[in-house]
mmCIF file with all atom_site columns, all heavy atoms in Angstrom:
data_model
loop_
_atom_site.group_PDB
_atom_site.id
_atom_site.type_symbol
_atom_site.label_atom_id
_atom_site.label_alt_id
_atom_site.label_comp_id
_atom_site.label_asym_id
_atom_site.label_entity_id
_atom_site.label_seq_id
_atom_site.pdbx_PDB_ins_code
_atom_site.Cartn_x
_atom_site.Cartn_y
_atom_site.Cartn_z
_atom_site.occupancy
_atom_site.B_iso_or_equiv
_atom_site.pdbx_formal_charge
_atom_site.auth_seq_id
_atom_site.auth_comp_id
_atom_site.auth_asym_id
_atom_site.auth_atom_id
_atom_site.pdbx_PDB_model_num
ATOM 1  N N   . GLN W 1 100 ? 31.558 45.025 -27.306 1.00 93.00 ? 312 GLN W N   1
ATOM 2  C CA  . GLN W 1 100 ? 31.891 44.216 -28.469 1.00 93.00 ? 312 GLN W CA  1
ATOM 3  C C   . GLN W 1 100 ? 33.409 44.112 -28.614 1.00 93.00 ? 312 GLN W C   1
ATOM 4  O O   . GLN W 1 100 ? 34.118 45.115 -28.461 1.00 93.00 ? 312 GLN W O   1
ATOM 5  C CB  . GLN W 1 100 ? 31.290 44.817 -29.744 1.00 93.00 ? 312 GLN W CB  1
ATOM 6  C CG  . GLN W 1 100 ? 29.765 44.822 -29.779 1.00 93.00 ? 312 GLN W CG  1
ATOM 7  C CD  . GLN W 1 100 ? 29.137 45.941 -28.964 1.00 93.00 ? 312 GLN W CD  1
ATOM 8  O OE1 . GLN W 1 100 ? 29.718 47.019 -28.828 1.00 93.00 ? 312 GLN W OE1 1
ATOM 9  N NE2 . GLN W 1 100 ? 27.959 45.696 -28.411 1.00 93.00 ? 312 GLN W NE2 1
ATOM 10 N N   . VAL W 1 101 ? 33.874 42.911 -28.909 1.00 96.00 ? 313 VAL W N   1
ATOM 11 C CA  . VAL W 1 101 ? 35.308 42.645 -29.063 1.00 96.00 ? 313 VAL W CA  1
ATOM 12 C C   . VAL W 1 101 ? 35.528 41.978 -30.418 1.00 96.00 ? 313 VAL W C   1
ATOM 13 O O   . VAL W 1 101 ? 34.845 40.999 -30.755 1.00 96.00 ? 313 VAL W O   1
ATOM 14 C CB  . VAL W 1 101 ? 35.836 41.739 -27.929 1.00 96.00 ? 313 VAL W CB  1
ATOM 15 C CG1 . VAL W 1 101 ? 37.317 41.429 -28.140 1.00 96.00 ? 313 VAL W CG1 1
ATOM 16 C CG2 . VAL W 1 101 ? 35.610 42.394 -26.571 1.00 96.00 ? 313 VAL W CG2 1
ATOM 17 N N   . PHE W 1 102 ? 36.470 42.507 -31.190 1.00 97.00 ? 314 PHE W N   1
ATOM 18 C CA  . PHE W 1 102 ? 36.753 41.964 -32.518 1.00 97.00 ? 314 PHE W CA  1
ATOM 19 C C   . PHE W 1 102 ? 37.341 40.556 -32.408 1.00 97.00 ? 314 PHE W C   1
ATOM 20 O O   . PHE W 1 102 ? 38.180 40.274 -31.548 1.00 97.00 ? 314 PHE W O   1
ATOM 21 C CB  . PHE W 1 102 ? 37.722 42.888 -33.259 1.00 97.00 ? 314 PHE W CB  1
ATOM 22 C CG  . PHE W 1 102 ? 38.062 42.423 -34.647 1.00 97.00 ? 314 PHE W CG  1
ATOM 23 C CD1 . PHE W 1 102 ? 37.084 42.315 -35.622 1.00 97.00 ? 314 PHE W CD1 1
ATOM 24 C CD2 . PHE W 1 102 ? 39.366 42.080 -34.973 1.00 97.00 ? 314 PHE W CD2 1
ATOM 25 C CE1 . PHE W 1 102 ? 37.391 41.882 -36.903 1.00 97.00 ? 314 PHE W CE1 1
ATOM 26 C CE2 . PHE W 1 102 ? 39.690 41.651 -36.253 1.00 97.00 ? 314 PHE W CE2 1
ATOM 27 C CZ  . PHE W 1 102 ? 38.694 41.552 -37.219 1.00 97.00 ? 314 PHE W CZ  1
ATOM 28 N N   . VAL W 1 103 ? 36.885 39.661 -33.305 1.00 97.00 ? 315 VAL W N   1
ATOM 29 C CA  . VAL W 1 103 ? 37.349 38.269 -33.323 1.00 97.00 ? 315 VAL W CA  1
ATOM 30 C C   . VAL W 1 103 ? 38.051 38.029 -34.661 1.00 97.00 ? 315 VAL W C   1
ATOM 31 O O   . VAL W 1 103 ? 37.402 37.699 -35.664 1.00 97.00 ? 315 VAL W O   1
ATOM 32 C CB  . VAL W 1 103 ? 36.177 37.285 -33.137 1.00 97.00 ? 315 VAL W CB  1
ATOM 33 C CG1 . VAL W 1 103 ? 36.698 35.849 -33.033 1.00 97.00 ? 315 VAL W CG1 1
ATOM 34 C CG2 . VAL W 1 103 ? 35.352 37.644 -31.913 1.00 97.00 ? 315 VAL W CG2 1
ATOM 35 N N   . PRO W 1 104 ? 39.362 38.186 -34.722 1.00 97.00 ? 316 PRO W N   1
ATOM 36 C CA  . PRO W 1 104 ? 40.073 38.097 -36.009 1.00 97.00 ? 316 PRO W CA  1
ATOM 37 C C   . PRO W 1 104 ? 39.995 36.724 -36.659 1.00 97.00 ? 316 PRO W C   1
ATOM 38 O O   . PRO W 1 104 ? 39.941 36.623 -37.893 1.00 97.00 ? 316 PRO W O   1
ATOM 39 C CB  . PRO W 1 104 ? 41.521 38.463 -35.639 1.00 97.00 ? 316 PRO W CB  1
ATOM 40 C CG  . PRO W 1 104 ? 41.623 38.239 -34.169 1.00 97.00 ? 316 PRO W CG  1
ATOM 41 C CD  . PRO W 1 104 ? 40.269 38.523 -33.612 1.00 97.00 ? 316 PRO W CD  1
ATOM 42 N N   . GLU W 1 105 ? 39.985 35.647 -35.860 1.00 97.00 ? 317 GLU W N   1
ATOM 43 C CA  . GLU W 1 105 ? 39.997 34.304 -36.445 1.00 97.00 ? 317 GLU W CA  1
ATOM 44 C C   . GLU W 1 105 ? 38.694 33.966 -37.159 1.00 97.00 ? 317 GLU W C   1
ATOM 45 O O   . GLU W 1 105 ? 38.646 33.026 -37.958 1.00 97.00 ? 317 GLU W O   1
ATOM 46 C CB  . GLU W 1 105 ? 40.286 33.246 -35.376 1.00 97.00 ? 317 GLU W CB  1
ATOM 47 C CG  . GLU W 1 105 ? 39.300 33.198 -34.221 1.00 97.00 ? 317 GLU W CG  1
ATOM 48 C CD  . GLU W 1 105 ? 39.687 34.124 -33.073 1.00 97.00 ? 317 GLU W CD  1
ATOM 49 O OE1 . GLU W 1 105 ? 40.496 35.039 -33.300 1.00 97.00 ? 317 GLU W OE1 1
ATOM 50 O OE2 . GLU W 1 105 ? 39.177 33.906 -31.955 1.00 97.00 ? 317 GLU W OE2 1
ATOM 51 N N   . ARG W 1 106 ? 37.648 34.703 -36.917 1.00 96.00 ? 318 ARG W N   1
ATOM 52 C CA  . ARG W 1 106 ? 36.375 34.476 -37.603 1.00 96.00 ? 318 ARG W CA  1
ATOM 53 C C   . ARG W 1 106 ? 36.155 35.469 -38.741 1.00 96.00 ? 318 ARG W C   1
ATOM 54 O O   . ARG W 1 106 ? 35.134 35.385 -39.423 1.00 96.00 ? 318 ARG W O   1
ATOM 55 C CB  . ARG W 1 106 ? 35.206 34.593 -36.614 1.00 96.00 ? 318 ARG W CB  1
ATOM 56 C CG  . ARG W 1 106 ? 35.057 33.399 -35.669 1.00 96.00 ? 318 ARG W CG  1
ATOM 57 C CD  . ARG W 1 106 ? 33.952 33.658 -34.652 1.00 96.00 ? 318 ARG W CD  1
ATOM 58 N NE  . ARG W 1 106 ? 33.624 32.461 -33.891 1.00 96.00 ? 318 ARG W NE  1
ATOM 59 C CZ  . ARG W 1 106 ? 32.511 31.750 -34.022 1.00 96.00 ? 318 ARG W CZ  1
ATOM 60 N NH1 . ARG W 1 106 ? 31.611 32.113 -34.914 1.00 96.00 ? 318 ARG W NH1 1
ATOM 61 N NH2 . ARG W 1 106 ? 32.292 30.685 -33.280 1.00 96.00 ? 318 ARG W NH2 1
ATOM 62 N N   . SER W 1 107 ? 37.054 36.399 -38.922 1.00 97.00 ? 319 SER W N   1
ATOM 63 C CA  . SER W 1 107 ? 36.863 37.489 -39.873 1.00 97.00 ? 319 SER W CA  1
ATOM 64 C C   . SER W 1 107 ? 37.680 37.273 -41.141 1.00 97.00 ? 319 SER W C   1
ATOM 65 O O   . SER W 1 107 ? 38.678 36.538 -41.145 1.00 97.00 ? 319 SER W O   1
ATOM 66 C CB  . SER W 1 107 ? 37.252 38.822 -39.223 1.00 97.00 ? 319 SER W CB  1
ATOM 67 O OG  . SER W 1 107 ? 36.529 39.028 -38.017 1.00 97.00 ? 319 SER W OG  1
ATOM 68 N N   . VAL W 1 108 ? 37.258 37.955 -42.215 1.00 97.00 ? 320 VAL W N   1
ATOM 69 C CA  . VAL W 1 108 ? 37.943 37.809 -43.505 1.00 97.00 ? 320 VAL W CA  1
ATOM 70 C C   . VAL W 1 108 ? 39.178 38.688 -43.605 1.00 97.00 ? 320 VAL W C   1
ATOM 71 O O   . VAL W 1 108 ? 40.005 38.510 -44.502 1.00 97.00 ? 320 VAL W O   1
ATOM 72 C CB  . VAL W 1 108 ? 36.986 38.142 -44.666 1.00 97.00 ? 320 VAL W CB  1
ATOM 73 C CG1 . VAL W 1 108 ? 35.833 37.166 -44.703 1.00 97.00 ? 320 VAL W CG1 1
ATOM 74 C CG2 . VAL W 1 108 ? 36.479 39.581 -44.573 1.00 97.00 ? 320 VAL W CG2 1
ATOM 75 N N   . GLY W 1 109 ? 39.306 39.632 -42.721 1.00 96.00 ? 321 GLY W N   1
ATOM 76 C CA  . GLY W 1 109 ? 40.445 40.537 -42.779 1.00 96.00 ? 321 GLY W CA  1
ATOM 77 C C   . GLY W 1 109 ? 40.459 41.466 -41.585 1.00 96.00 ? 321 GLY W C   1
ATOM 78 O O   . GLY W 1 109 ? 39.660 41.336 -40.653 1.00 96.00 ? 321 GLY W O   1
ATOM 79 N N   . ASP W 1 110 ? 41.376 42.419 -41.634 1.00 96.00 ? 322 ASP W N   1
ATOM 80 C CA  . ASP W 1 110 ? 41.513 43.398 -40.561 1.00 96.00 ? 322 ASP W CA  1
ATOM 81 C C   . ASP W 1 110 ? 40.730 44.653 -40.937 1.00 96.00 ? 322 ASP W C   1
ATOM 82 O O   . ASP W 1 110 ? 41.069 45.325 -41.917 1.00 96.00 ? 322 ASP W O   1
ATOM 83 C CB  . ASP W 1 110 ? 42.988 43.741 -40.353 1.00 96.00 ? 322 ASP W CB  1
ATOM 84 C CG  . ASP W 1 110 ? 43.212 44.616 -39.123 1.00 96.00 ? 322 ASP W CG  1
ATOM 85 O OD1 . ASP W 1 110 ? 42.234 45.213 -38.633 1.00 96.00 ? 322 ASP W OD1 1
ATOM 86 O OD2 . ASP W 1 110 ? 44.367 44.706 -38.663 1.00 96.00 ? 322 ASP W OD2 1
#
Side-chain angles (χ1 to χ4, degrees):
Q312 295 79 31
V313 178
F314 181 63
V315 185
E317 59 271 18
R318 285 175 170 252
S319 305
V320 297
D322 188 343

